Amino acid sequence: MPPRPPAPSTLADLRAVVGVAGALDAPADLAPYVEDFRGLYHGSTPLVLLPSSVEDVARILAICDRDRVAVVPQGGNTSYCGGATPAEHGAEIVIAMRRMNRIRAVDPANDSMIVEAGCTLAAAQDAARAAGRLFPLSLGSEGSAQIGGNLSTNAGGTAVLRYGMMRDLTLGLEVVLADGRVLRALQPLRKDNTGYDWKSLFIGAEGTLGVITAAALKLFALPADTATALAGVPSPAAALELLLRLREHFGEAVSSFELLPRRAVELTVRHVDGVANPLADDSSPWFVLIEIGASRAIADPTTRLGEALASAAEAATVAGAVLATSAAQAQAFWRLRESVPEAQRRHGASLKHDLAVPVSAVPRLIELGTALVERSVPDGETIAYGHVGDGNLHFNVSQRPGTDRATFLARQAPLQAAMFDLVASLGGSFSAEHGIGRLKVEELERRTDPVELELMRTLKRALDPQGIMNPGKVLR
Ligand code: 2HG
Ligand code: ZN
């Protein structure tokens, strides 16, 4: 039986917390909050609340706890797994964090800043830069994705190779628990061995254990100079060889290393305005986008990257390569890379698999995964790309033009099962950086070690005994 919608008196109490400006209930106002970014889920809610302080969130959750009303925390609504979309039955309220978007403090000497959950990732990056520091998390959706969502999904992106994922970038958290109590642990300390690392629990929990309202984040030195190149390579194995070479030359200054199949580049040039392939004459089947974020110790990194690529070419690891000679050109290379999801979307339906394997197993994953798609998806083509330096591939399959959409989409379940089996056989993960949300709940149940799963359920029961926090996401 679906849960009963909240009583009118509960809704009135919730509205009173945020005032008229902080409560949305007209159907047109609710619409942007009830559908996920990929259009996979079409939910319903009687009320979207826009709190502007941690006290607001605490009062909202205390009311929800009292009246057993389920809540769905939502950031920029860019989730790939439906993690922030309310259920269809319409009994859940949405807490959208966008009004909690303050930068509370920036401390360059401590290399840290304190940011509220509703701050966009781009605004957090800008605040760091304005203080002469770098906040390195970087994603295609950074203009709309919010820090709270980045934390709740433990977001990755294109700079993980050098700086790690969101969990690695977090020093402290402020969290409202399911019953409205507030955990305040925003001390930006690099050393603090006072008991369990509970903060880590809320990162990647997708709002199922509490609502993150602010975080203390790590900052870094801005690179003194950046070199960016696009190189054609004969194979994924050659791409990994190139990564090793670059690491020998530049050490940890290699900040991004993104693999693109030729087909992804073609689709991007075809479907996204203003994108060009700077290596149009290069017939390589694969390309890599390389970024070196150099400290002052590495003088003229662009020349040095050119030398490294020339020596890789002599060893046949690289075919052609083009170095960005201006910031605008580097941006154009990044636009090519960041536009791949949009190009795939415009090209037709796609089946997505966000996979991680040990970096050394990437060539094998590509070989076996591509063969699997060829055998089982005659109406699709493999577009496997992404953060190869982290062992994370977006092993996506695009529908071939002129084929039937429904038939193609019906292949998702069997293909996904086979793809996830393949990843397991390579020692990998079926959820690398996009989370579980609603999309992968059954897979998590099926594929997680029973002891691990029981531990997760124990934690969920302990922190959310009434099951009001983002029900049906991550765990059922
Ligand atoms: C990226 O790396 C994003 O571009 C999106 O994680 C991946 O669309 C995708 O599958
Ligand atoms: Zn990605």
Side-chain angles (χ1 to χ4, degrees), residues 162 250-256 291-295 298:
R162 160 90 171 83
F250 296 103
E252 60 170 20
V254 184
S255 47
S256 294
E291 189 178 275
I292 311 291
S295 68
I298 303 175

Side-chain angles (χ1 to χ4, degrees), residues 337 387 394 433-434:
R337 160 63 185 92
H387 323 293
H394 298 304
E433 62 164 6
H434 294 163

Side-chain angles (χ1 to χ4, degrees), residues 221-372:
L222 282 164
D225 199 353
T226 302
T228 312
L230 193 68
V233 292
S235 64
L240 290 185
E241 250 175 74
L242 177 61
L243 177 59
L244 283 180
R245 279 172 171 268
L246 292 174
R247 281 215 161 126
E248 271 167 32
H249 274 77
F250 296 103
E252 60 170 20
V254 184
S255 47
S256 294
F257 194 84
E258 298 281 314
L259 183 71
L260 297 171
R262 183 174 194 82
R263 188 73 181 129
V265 174
E266 285 167 4
L267 291 186
T268 306
V269 171
R270 162 129 55 105
H271 292 294
V272 184
D273 282 350
V275 171
N277 177 9
L279 281 172
D281 299 334
D282 187 313
S283 61
S284 296
W286 296 90
F287 296 95
V288 280
L289 175 55
I290 302 156
E291 189 178 275
I292 311 291
S295 68
R296 251 172 266 288
I298 303 175
D300 195 1
T302 300
T303 304
R304 291 201 45 202
L305 178 56
E307 289 161 5
L309 289 170
S311 98
E314 274 166 35
T317 303
V318 162
V322 27
L323 290 155
T325 51
S326 65
Q329 203 180 3
Q331 256 169 33
F333 292 2
W334 273 109
R335 192 161 141 72
L336 175 70
R337 160 63 185 92
E338 300 286 18
S339 301
V340 176
E342 180 59 19
Q344 259 204 299
R345 214 170 56 81
R346 294 191 190 169
H347 192 61
S350 47
L351 313 176
K352 286 182 186 282
H353 309 88
D354 169 36
L355 310 176
V357 291
V359 175
S360 49
V362 164
R364 193 92 183 116
L365 172 62
I366 292 177
E367 181 196 325
L368 297 176
T370 306
L372 177 65

